Structures are given as C-alpha cells and as structure tokens.
C-alpha cells in the first residue's frame, strides 16, 4: 500500500502520512519535558516532544499541505533524534523479493529518506555549503545533544540511510515476518503489531514511540491504524523466493502445471547485534552475537506447505577477540569464570527450548587451534551443568535430554583429498536426530464451517497443520558464517529429503541446484552484515565443487575482511548501535499528549509504589604487590576478611584491585600475561570462600576480571546476589608512554545490580613526587577515554568507586613527614597531601569523596617490616593507595589498612553500604495504564493539526513541580489554586495556639531568611478565664474558642479596595450565628466554580444565660473583626490562614489582647 507524504510549513511545521482514508500527522513541539527521564538521567538532554494525531481524512483539513516526496512512500520505520533534531524515517524504495504463499509477500528495502520535523534544511536532499560536517562520524565520540543549526554537505542521517538501504532489510505488509510459519496464525493474512517478535524487530527503537501511541488508542482506532499499514516492521538478514518449474517439482503425485516456490528467510537478531570483532559471545540476558534463525519453505500450488527452521549463534559464553592484521594477533579471551557465565548460558538455552523444543548443538570449532579448543572446553562444561542436560522422561525418538551436543571438526574433516565434499559426513552424525525433530507441514483440508448462526454448516478447504517441528539444530563455528552456512545447507537438504521420502517423492538435480544457489546467496548476505564481505566457500555451496576461481575469490574476501574488521567496523558498529538506540547519550523521541505527560509525572511521584530499595554491602580493596609473585600463597584474610560488624562480614559485592602483579620491565609493559592474574584470582577466591565456609555463609563467584599488564581488577559476587547482576562489561585504558604502554593506566568493570548501575575502576597513575600534574592528566585521560560498549563512559553510572595506587605524594620534606608520623599528626600530613589539594582545586576527581584518613601512609616500607624506606633513595612516606567514591546512594563505613608486610605498600580496604533500586516493570506498566485512563476522563485532548497561532504549547505540556511539596507552575489554561474546578483552601496551621501572622512580612513566602512569619501573642488572665469557662460548653463555645485562637494582627493588603470591602466584613448577625471560618472562606473565593454545601449553623442553647450570655456577646464582637482571604493573596502563591484581621482600628478588647 502506497502512502502520500505531505508537508505543512505554516503556522506550525507538520508532516502527514496519508492513505486513501486516514492520515497520521506529526508536529514537532518547541517545548520539551523531562518527565520521561529517570533519577539517574537528569543530566541528559530532555527527549524532544512531537504532537501526534491519527484521524479520518474527512475529519481533518489538509488543504494547507503540499507533497513532500514526489513518489509514494511505503510506510514509516519510526522517529529518531539526531543532533537535537527529530527525523521521520520513511521507506522510499522497495522491491518484492519473496512470496511465501499467495498473499504473503516480502519487500526488500533499497532506499529510505529522513525528513526533519523541526527544520526544512534537508527537505530537498543534502544541504548547502556553509557549514562543517555534522554527519555520523566513524569514531565513538558522539554528541547527539549538540544544537548545531548550520546546514551541512552531508545529511545528518547519511550513515543511517546507507545501512538501511544496503539491501539487507526486509518488511511485509500482509504477514508477520518476525515469526516463522509454525508460530503464525493459520490464517495467512493475520497480521498484528502486538504479536511481533522483538528479537528480530530492527526498527524497534524508532517505531516504539508510535507503538506506544498506538497502544493508547481505542480498539477501533487501533485497528484502523493497523489496516492503514503506515507503521512498518523491518527485519534484517535475507529473504528470497525462487520459482521451481512444474517439470522440476519434487511433488508429482498431485498433478499441477503450475510452478511451486522455494523460499529462504533468515532473521538476524537485533538483541546483540554488531560487527565481527565488536560483538562476540553472550550477554547477561542470554542473547548471543550473530544469532540467526533461518527458515526453509517449500510451497506447492495445492497449498501444501513445508517449513523447517534452524539457528546459528556465537558460542554462548563470555568471550572476546581483538582484531589484528596478522592471524596470530586475533587471540580469544574468555572474560568470565564458569560459575559467573552459567546463569546467562542457562537463560539462552531456556529461551531456545521454549521457542523451538529440544535443542541439539552442532559445534564445528577446530580441535587443534588453541583458542577454539578453549571455547569448546568451556562450551562442554556449560552443557554438563545445564538443567536442560539432566535426564528426563521423553519419547524414545527424542532422547533423554533436551540439550545435547555433537562435535564436528570441519577443518579436520575437509582437510583430505575429498575437500569440502567430505562435509557431507555430518549426515551420519545427525540423521537420527534430524528425523526425530521432523518438520512443519500444513495442507488444505476439508472442514465444517458455519457462516451464520441461521445457516447450515458448509464444507470449506483451509490450511490445516499436519505436522510440527519438535526440535532445532543450533550450529556454530567461530564466526558462524562460512562453515556454519555450508553445514546448514546440508541440514536443510536432509529435512527436505525426509519430507519428500514421507510422500514417496524424490527431488531432481535441478531442484537441489536451486536449493544450493539460494543457500549460497543467504551465506553471502549474512557474511556481508557481520564480516563485511561475502561468505567464503560459497563457490562450493553454490556449485557443489571448489574451483580455482572460487579459491581466488575466497583469498580476496579474506583480505577485504581483514581491512574492514580493522579499520571500518568501529564506525559500522556505532551506526548499528545508533539505529537500535543503544548509544549512551541518545534520547528517544517523545510523542506528546497532555495526558501522557501527566502520567509520567505521576509515575515519578509515585515511584515508591512500583520500586523497592534495599541496602547491599560492598567491600573494596587495593594492593600494590610490588611484583612479588612468590607471595601469592600468603594468607590474605587480614585484608580480604577483616574483623568487621556482622552485616559487613559477608558483603554482596567484593572488588579487589592489584597493581604491579608483574615486574614492570620493558619487556612486560607492552604485553599482558594472564598467568599471574589467574594465580591471584585463585588466591583471592580461596581466601574468600574459606572464610565464608567458616562463617557458614555462601560462596563467592568471580563475575569478571580484567588486566592491563600489572593492574588487575576482580569483581566477586555472593552467590545469592548473582541473580541481580547483569550487563557486566570490562574495559582498559593505557596512559603509559602517552597511551602506548600499559605500565600505567586503568582497568574498569561495570555492572547493573538490579536497576542500579555500578562502575569500579582500579588505576595505577604516574609516579614521582613532582608529577602531580601528570597524574591529573592520567585521571582525565581515563575518565574521558575509557569506554564500555555502546559508548558508555565511567560517568554514566549511579555508583562509581575508584581504587588503586594513585601515586599522589605528601608535599613535605622526608624528615618532617617522618617526624609528623611519629607524632601521629595525620591532620597536618593530610593538609599537604597532593590528592587532597588537587581535589580541592578541582583539578582531579571533581565531585568525588574520600572518607577521613585515620591510618598511616601506605608507602614506602621495607619489605617484611613496619619501617619506612631506609634505602639510599629514602622515599618520602605517602598515601599512594586510595579509595574514592561518587554516588548519592553510597555510605562509607570503614576505611583502613591491613597488616600484610610482604610488599613495600600496605593494602587498603573500604566498606560501603549502597542503596539499590529495584523497579517492578509489570507493576509500573499497570499503574501507568490506570493513571492514563483516569486522566483521560477529566482532561481534554489536543491535535497535531491545529492551526491556531495563539496556541501556547506550554499550556498543553505543563511543568513539573520544583519541589515535591509544591504544585506545578500555572499556565493560562491551568491554575494550581484550582483543584478540578474547586476553590482552594489554605491548610497552613499556626505553630502554637496563640501564634499569629506578622503584619509586616514579605509578600513572597519563599524569600530566604531566618526570621519567622509568626508572632506569639500573650493572653490576659481575663481571656484565659474566658477560655476556661468555654471549655465545657456546647458546639458554639468550641467554635468561638477556635476563632479566638486564630485571631490575626490587623494589616492592610494591596488588594483591599472598595469593591471587596462589603463582602470581606462579616455582619454582626453572621458573627452572632457563629458562622464557620471555612464557610466564610468559600463565600469570598474568587473562583466561579460551584460551591459546596455550607455546614449547618449551630444554634444558641436555651440554657445560656447570665455570665455565659455576656461571654457570647464578647466573642461575637471579636469575630466581627475577622475576614476571609483576598483572591490576590491566593494568586501570589501565599498560603494564608483562613481568617485575617480587618483593617479597622483596634477595639478596646483587641488592644487588651495586644
């Protein structure tokens, strides 16, 4: 379905996507709101707001609109914010490449356009010549919050246009392309946005604002929006249908002269999307790199349809591989222990088992290459410990376990004279399992159907499921490209053979040649996405033999891959992350309506209803071991397991930092040897778990460790807390020799504990007593240059802890420092500490905190003693080893040293209590929906197609409160003093019974100052006697007493003019009847809203006579001087008591009170 793209320039720029019956209108809002931002995102740019409207063409006027795109467009992929501008992405070019069944077509995107909602610079393509480049750079240093307004040669979305138009993105308007045939409805035309599989939805970030808008529409409007096909879902991977002539069709039993079709669809997951060396292994949610679901479909004109699915994906453990120009440089590194990796591994296969049934792993890794052998060993160990690998009672043909593995060393098997043809040996390995998994098949079958409740049933022919696929093969090699594609081609052929054999049919050689050809195209497409070139071995896949030309082509592809992986993949990775909305400083587009803003504000205010807070304990320690590898077996318990309070003896998180675990020789500083790090890991783990066993506590698991030559950081987590840990990443930054050498620098590990983001950094900064400026530079280099995935920096965390040998010294002479140490004068030493002075000056670690130092300098000791350096160099003692913190949720409890003497440094440790936030997302969504429904009943809506120039968008958007106890600021349409149309009433109470407001006080109640607005008025003995007599009277006396206690000083207000005087003074008759103060306040309100019913007027009891009658008269005279608040007092935002003194002169009785 084609759409018209329309533009209106005035009075407000708006873009419309119009069908023959409906239109979706989008208008950028110049105002923005930060209500969508969480507490830890307040520093970011507020999301840009757009007003949106979906309506029938008959109900809106599009006469002011003109055509923006000369030819029809094919739908929108969504909205994205780049360089502070909001862009609408539309599909401008697409071609049909596949037809699964009649009425189920797939389009391949070959061009898209981005149109700005708030600027016209790029309405006609690239912009003018008077600016610098604002396109997407290849580096990871993005800045999407810059507000550059100069035109550029290159469109800001140029890189996004390139990737979306590279021929690897597909969509369908008549069926759900994100789900395989077995999971779709039996009705071929069934299509619903709610059923999309977000694992394969590549425009999920851009389309999400529109999906959210759609979810708030009424059911009928929602269905109309779906039928318009304006919202488009796209997948990435491969899709192609080839026609099989009737003469080559394997199905001959059913006579038909019509051709059949063979279709191949590959869906690449967007969960851990990326390029070859930037995306490896698994993440904490169980998503693996280069995960692809490939479905082979065969359709015969009788409506017989076959489907068979298989999957590929990276080895599901935490591992990384750095690119290199030489093959030996591309070393594989496993980054987590087996215990810390198992939860993610289990999540991955539980998800696969839920979606596909039994999973059979086919591992093609080499048994001779060191890195691949290590991965295979880890893979096997994970499988052994997997719950799915436990014996269960199943049908005999399925086997005894839901997870099994087969090994097939592809390189070893194809090394002989047979070449790649020997790969067919995998058939024998998988035959029984493949036959047990079966395949999906549906066919037309007669069924009885009632068309109307008064009609008789009639026979119809509809697609009916005959057989379902009960398991899946998961194939992997290192990259999951060349070897994997060839083996999957064989498995697909095996499944088709089973299908034909069960029907006593046989395929011709021409059919298998077509099958091989489409699989070769599939391999090339997937390889181009992940590695940058077509697949190797595709010549054999396509033709069944390897030619000389094919070998030369493979060599050329290998060289091209090496160049792309080393020099281009970094930029490609960042464009992918930007498309998926995963860069740290990207802000989403906010589709605005007044109701939604209110919902977000209420959610923020009511955060306690859907989130919980808990306190966790963190132990942090740093130790420069001075290259003393022989002391690894030393007892570390005095440092790692000190005698602390009961709650801190078994912390949830332990962060251990080491420096100089190897001697920093010229040979060592250019490379990293993991052997020494692994030895220290074992030593720390043993100490922690031995101590835990003594205390009958849980064991500690190494979540991740990182190393930069001699600096090491290890993060251990208590086993019960492991379920709360996710998104663990590591990074390093060299600062030695201007960033070339690793003798100085930092190792950082970040993680999410529930919904709190934590970052730990161990650093070894420049040495030398006079080099404090170089140390400051090292800090800035690390803080700004160290990056995690998706461009996340150290500062993008809620909790940050630095630990290490920072090498800051004490700026005093050696004699004076030693003398002050002997005197125990730590205060004077700290006043001359370089780190303290640099932090005060703001030159290093701004906004960080350090607890008071109560321990002696930690450097430099004679090894094995408590004596400071007595060598010829006689180093000045200093606090080189430090722990710094940043985060409002941190409270430091301990900060001291441990008596380990085998190094020239003393180990330092600190303990913290950290408040963790845990958000219940389903409960939050439920509450959001409830607030939305309630708000919609009381607030009207607005439209994006409004033409009124006088419309103030701020009136529609509103404001947040500047403090929780204050109402939001007012606008022309909303007044804070009117609560749903009812008059406001002051709720301020005097601080004591005889306190009154001062007559001479500031009109602004928020004026800073120490003076109180209240004055205490002493009461005479006569009035105290009156009050005591009224204590035991009825309701009238009680009301009079309350009026008496609220008497106020006389003061003249700016608004006390003649037109209010008659209404502000109470008559004697009103005072005599004892009218209540609250009623008087409502009578004088400036609001024209309907008043509430007045309370009943108390009547004077008949028994009141004599002295009590005189008391009543006196109280009535006093009440005569009370008035209600003037409207101007309320308009100024002053919360005033309900009764104010009149402006008349004091009576004698009032003078007595003064």
């Amino acid at each position: 379905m084609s759409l018209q793209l329309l533009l209106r320039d005035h009075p407000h720029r708006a873009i419309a996507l119009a069908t023959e019956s409906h239109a979706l209108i989008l208008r950028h809002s110049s105002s923005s709101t930060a209500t969508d931002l969480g507490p830890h995102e307040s520093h970011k740019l507020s999301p840009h707001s757009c007003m949106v409207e979906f309506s029938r063409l008959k109900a809106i006027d599009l006469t002011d609109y003109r055509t923006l795109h000369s030819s029809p467009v094919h739908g929108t992929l969504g909205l994205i914010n780049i360089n502070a501008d909001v862009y609408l992405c539309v599909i401008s070019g697409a071609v049909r490449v596949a037809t699964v069944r009649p009425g189920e077509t797939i389009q391949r995107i070959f061009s898209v356009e981005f149109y700005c909602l708030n600027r016209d610079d790029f309405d006609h393509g690239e912009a003018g010549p008077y600016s610098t480049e604002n396109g997407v750079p290849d580096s990871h240093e993005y800045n999407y919050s810059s507000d550059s307004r100069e035109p550029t040669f290159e469109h800001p979305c140029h890189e996004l246009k390139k990737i979306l138009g590279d021929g690897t993105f597909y969509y369908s308007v008549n069926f759900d392309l994100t789900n395989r045939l077995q999971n779709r409805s039996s009705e071929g035309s069934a299509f619903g946005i709610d059923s999309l599989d977000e694992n394969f939805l590549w425009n999920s970030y851009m389309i999400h604002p529109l999906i959210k808008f759609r979810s708030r529409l009424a059911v009928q409007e929602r269905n109309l929006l779906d039928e318009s096909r304006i919202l488009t879902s796209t997948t990435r991977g491969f899709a192609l249908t080839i026609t099989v002539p009737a003469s080559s069709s394997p199905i001959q039993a059913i006579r038909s002269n019509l051709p059949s079709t063979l279709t191949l669809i590959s869906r690449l997951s967007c969960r851990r999307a990326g390029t070859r060396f930037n995306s490896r292994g698994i993440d904490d949610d169980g998503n693996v790199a280069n995960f692809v679901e490939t479905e082979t479909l065969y359709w015969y004109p009788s409506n017989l349809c076959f489907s068979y699915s298989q999957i590929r994906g990276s080895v599901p453990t935490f591992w990384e591989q750095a690119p290199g120009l030489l093959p030996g440089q591309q070393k594989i590194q496993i980054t987590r222990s087996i215990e810390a990796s198992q939860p993610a591994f289990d999540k991955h296969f539980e998800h696969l088992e839920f979606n596909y049934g039994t999973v059979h792993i086919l591992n093609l890794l080499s048994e001779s290459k060191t890195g691949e052998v290590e991965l295979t060993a880890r893979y096997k160990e994970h499988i052994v410990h997997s719950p799915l690998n436990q014996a269960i009672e199943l049908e005999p043909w399925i086997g005894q376990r839901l997870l099994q593995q087969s090994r097939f060393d592809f390189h070893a098997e194809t090394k002989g004279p047979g070449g790649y043809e020997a790969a067919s040996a995998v058939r024998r390995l998988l035959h029984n399992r493949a036959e047990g998994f079966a395949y999906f098949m549906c066919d037309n079958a007669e069924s009885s159907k009632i068309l109307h409740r008064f009609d008789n049933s009639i026979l119809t022919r509809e697609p009916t499921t005959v057989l379902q696929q009960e398991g899946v093969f998961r194939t992997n090699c290192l990259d999951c490209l060349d070897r994997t594609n060839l083996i999957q081609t064989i498995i697909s052929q095996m499944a088709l053979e089973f299908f034909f054999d069960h029907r006593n049919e046989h395929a011709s050689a021409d059919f298998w040649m077509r099958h091989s050809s489409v699989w070769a195209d599939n391999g090339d497409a997937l390889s181009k996405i992940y590695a940058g070139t077509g697949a190797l071995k595709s010549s054999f896949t396509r033709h069944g033999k390897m030619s000389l030309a094919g070998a030369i082509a493979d060599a050329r592809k290998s060289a091209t891959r090496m160049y792309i992986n080393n020099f281009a993949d970094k930029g490609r990775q960042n464009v992918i992350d930007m498309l998926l909305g995963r860069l740290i400083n990207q802000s989403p587009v906010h589709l605005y309506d007044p109701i939604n803003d209110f919902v977000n504000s209420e959610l923020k205010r009511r955060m306690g209803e859907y989130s919980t807070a808990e306190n966790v304990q963190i132990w942090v320690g740093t130790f420069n071991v001075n290259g003393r590898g022989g002391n690894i077996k030393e007892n570390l318990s005095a440092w790692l397991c000190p005698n602390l309070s009961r709650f801190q003896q078994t912390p949830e998180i332990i962060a251990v930092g080491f420096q100089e675990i190897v001697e920093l020789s010229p040979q060592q500083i250019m490379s990293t040897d993991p052997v020494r790090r692994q030895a220290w890991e074992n030593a720390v783990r043993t100490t922690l778990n031995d101590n835990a066993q003594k205390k009958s506590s849980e064991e500690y698991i190494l979540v991740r460790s990182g190393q930069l030559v001699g600096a090491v950081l290890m993060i251990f987590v208590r086993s019960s807390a492991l379920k709360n840990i996710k998104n663990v990443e590591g990074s390093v930054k060299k600062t030695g020799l201007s960033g070339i050498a690793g003798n100085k620098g930092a190792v950082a590990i970040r993680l999410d504990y529930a919904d709190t983001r934590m970052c730990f950094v161990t650093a070894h900064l420049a040495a030398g007593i006079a080099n404090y400026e170089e140390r400051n530079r090292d800090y800035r280099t690390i803080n700004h240059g160290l990056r995690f995935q998706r461009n996340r920096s150290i500062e993008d965390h809620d909790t940050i802890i630095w630990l290490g040998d920072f090498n800051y010294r004490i700026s005093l002479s050696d004699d004076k420092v030693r003398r002050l140490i002997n005197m125990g004068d730590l205060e004077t030493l700290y006043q001359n500490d370089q780190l303290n002075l640099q932090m005060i000056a703001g030159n290093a670690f701004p906004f960080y905190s350090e607890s008071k130092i109560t321990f002696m300098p930690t450097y430099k000791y004679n090894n094995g003693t408590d004596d400071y350096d007595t060598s010829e160099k006689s180093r000045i003692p200093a606090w080189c080893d430090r722990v710094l913190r940043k985060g409002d949720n941190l409270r430091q409890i301990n900060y001291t040293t441990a008596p380990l003497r085998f190094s020239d440094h003393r180990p330092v440790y600190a303990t913290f209590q950290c408040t963790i936030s845990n958000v219940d997302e389903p409960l939050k969504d439920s509450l959001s929906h409830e607030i939305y429904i309630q708000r919609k009943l009381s607030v009207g809506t607005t439209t994006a197609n409004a033409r009124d120039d006088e419309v103030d968008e701020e009136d529609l958007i509103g404001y947040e409160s500047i403090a929780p106890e204050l109402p939001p600021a007012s606008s022309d349409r909303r007044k804070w003093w009117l609560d749903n149309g009812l008059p406001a009433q002051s709720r301020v109470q005097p601080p004591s019974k005889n306190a009154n407001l001062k007559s001479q006080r500031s009109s602004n109640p928020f004026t800073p100052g120490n003076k109180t607005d209240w004055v205490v008025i002493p009461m005479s003995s006569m009035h105290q006697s009156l009050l005591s007599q009224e204590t035991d009277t009825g309701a009238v006396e009680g009301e009079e007493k309350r009026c008496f206690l609220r008497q106020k000083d006389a003061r003249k207000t700016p608004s006390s003019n003649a037109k209010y005087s008659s209404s502000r003074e109470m008559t004697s008759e009103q005072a005599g009847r004892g009218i209540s103060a609250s009623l008087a306040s409502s009578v004088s309100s400036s609001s024209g809203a309907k008043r509430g019913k007045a309370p009943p007027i108390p009547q004077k009891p008949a028994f009141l006579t004599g002295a009590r009658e005189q008391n009543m008269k006196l109280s009535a005279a006093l009440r005569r001087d009370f008035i209600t608040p003037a409207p101007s007092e309320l308009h100024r935002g002053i919360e005033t008591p309900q009764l104010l003194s009149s402006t008349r002169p004091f009576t004698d009785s009032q003078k007595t009170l003064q």
Side-chain angles (χ1 to χ4, degrees), residues 533-552:
T533 70
L536 308 182
K537 311 172 183 63
S538 60
S539 176
F540 176 83
T541 305
R542 195 179 303 275
H543 304 293
K545 60 182 180 179
M546 195 65 183
S547 63
L548 177 61
I552 295 174

Side-chain angles (χ1 to χ4, degrees), residues 732-859:
V732 299
K733 185 65 177 178
K734 298 177 182 179
T735 60
L737 299 181
S738 300
I740 299 175
N743 60 316
K744 295 294 186 289
V747 182
I749 295 176
R750 60 94 50 212
L751 57 88
D752 292 343
Y753 193 111
D755 292 286
T756 299
R757 304 167 303 170
M758 297 182 174
C759 181
F760 299 90
V761 185
T762 187
H764 196 186
L765 306 184
I769 187 170
N771 292 337
Y772 61 88
E773 291 185 355
E774 186 176 350
R775 288 187 277 274
N776 294 345
R777 285 195 296 270
D778 285 352
Y779 159 75
R780 290 191 292 268
T781 300
I782 295 167
N783 193 56
H784 295 292
L786 188 146
R787 297 279 167 166
F788 300 99
Q789 293 182 16
R790 302 183 179 91
N791 206 31
R792 185 183 280 114
S793 69
I794 294 174
E795 295 298 322
D796 295 317
H797 294 83
D798 308 305
T799 301
I800 308 172
I801 299 178
W802 284 67
L803 57 144
D805 181 1
F806 300 158
N807 258 322
Y808 285 93
R809 308 303 172 91
I810 298 174
S811 297
L812 295 173
S813 66
D814 182 48
D815 292 340
K816 188 168 184 178
V817 169
R818 293 175 188 258
R819 186 167 62 254
L820 291 172
I821 289 174
N822 294 332
M823 295 169 56
D825 190 355
L826 300 184
E827 184 176 352
T828 302
L829 290 173
Y830 188 69
Q831 290 173 357
N832 292 275
D833 175 72
Q834 290 178 351
L835 178 57
N836 175 42
L837 296 173
Q838 295 303 307
M839 290 176 66
I840 292 174
N843 297 327
F845 297 97
F847 308 109
Y848 281 83
S849 300
E850 181 181 32
S851 286
K852 182 179 180 180
I853 293 181
T854 60
F855 49 88
M856 294 296 176
T858 59
Y859 172 86

Side-chain angles (χ1 to χ4, degrees), residues 848-904:
Y848 281 83
S849 300
E850 181 181 32
S851 286
K852 182 179 180 180
I853 293 181
T854 60
F855 49 88
M856 294 296 176
T858 59
Y859 172 86
K860 175 182 181 175
Y861 289 90
N862 294 326
N863 291 336
T865 72
D866 288 328
D867 300 326
Y868 287 106
D869 186 18
T870 57
S871 66
E872 292 182 1
K873 293 183 178 180
S874 188
R875 296 277 171 47
I876 301 174
W879 286 297
C880 290
D881 310 277
R882 312 288 273 269
V883 177
L884 306 179
R885 71 183 187 275
K886 184 178 182 181
D888 296 335
N889 59 343
L890 274 178
R891 183 169 71 90
Q892 189 162 346
I893 301 173
N894 294 294
Y895 191 28
T896 187
T897 59
L900 299 184
R901 299 177 175 85
F902 61 83
S903 171
D904 58 355

Side-chain angles (χ1 to χ4, degrees), residues 456-491:
N456 294 325
S457 61
I458 60 173
L459 291 178
T460 61
R461 296 186 65 86
E462 294 183 346
T464 302
T465 299
V466 178
L467 189 64
Q468 287 196 335
Q469 184 176 343
E470 300 292 343
V472 70
F473 286 103
R474 186 195 188 281
T475 309
N476 73 271
C477 53
L478 192 64
D479 298 321
C480 302
L481 295 177
D482 315 318
R483 290 174 277 180
T484 297
N485 197 72
L486 197 155
I487 294 299
Q488 284 194 331
T489 304
I490 297 173
I491 296 175

Side-chain angles (χ1 to χ4, degrees), residues 242-250 252 259-260 262 298 493 496 500 506-518 542:
I242 59 173
T243 301
V244 181
S247 58
S248 299
S249 174
Q252 298 293 333
S260 54
L262 178 66
Y298 178 71
Q493 182 173 342
L496 281 166
F500 297 145
H506 298 281
S508 64
D510 179 71
F511 177 85
W512 293 125
M513 184 62 66
R514 295 173 189 269
H515 175 267
S516 298
S517 177
V518 72
R542 195 179 303 275

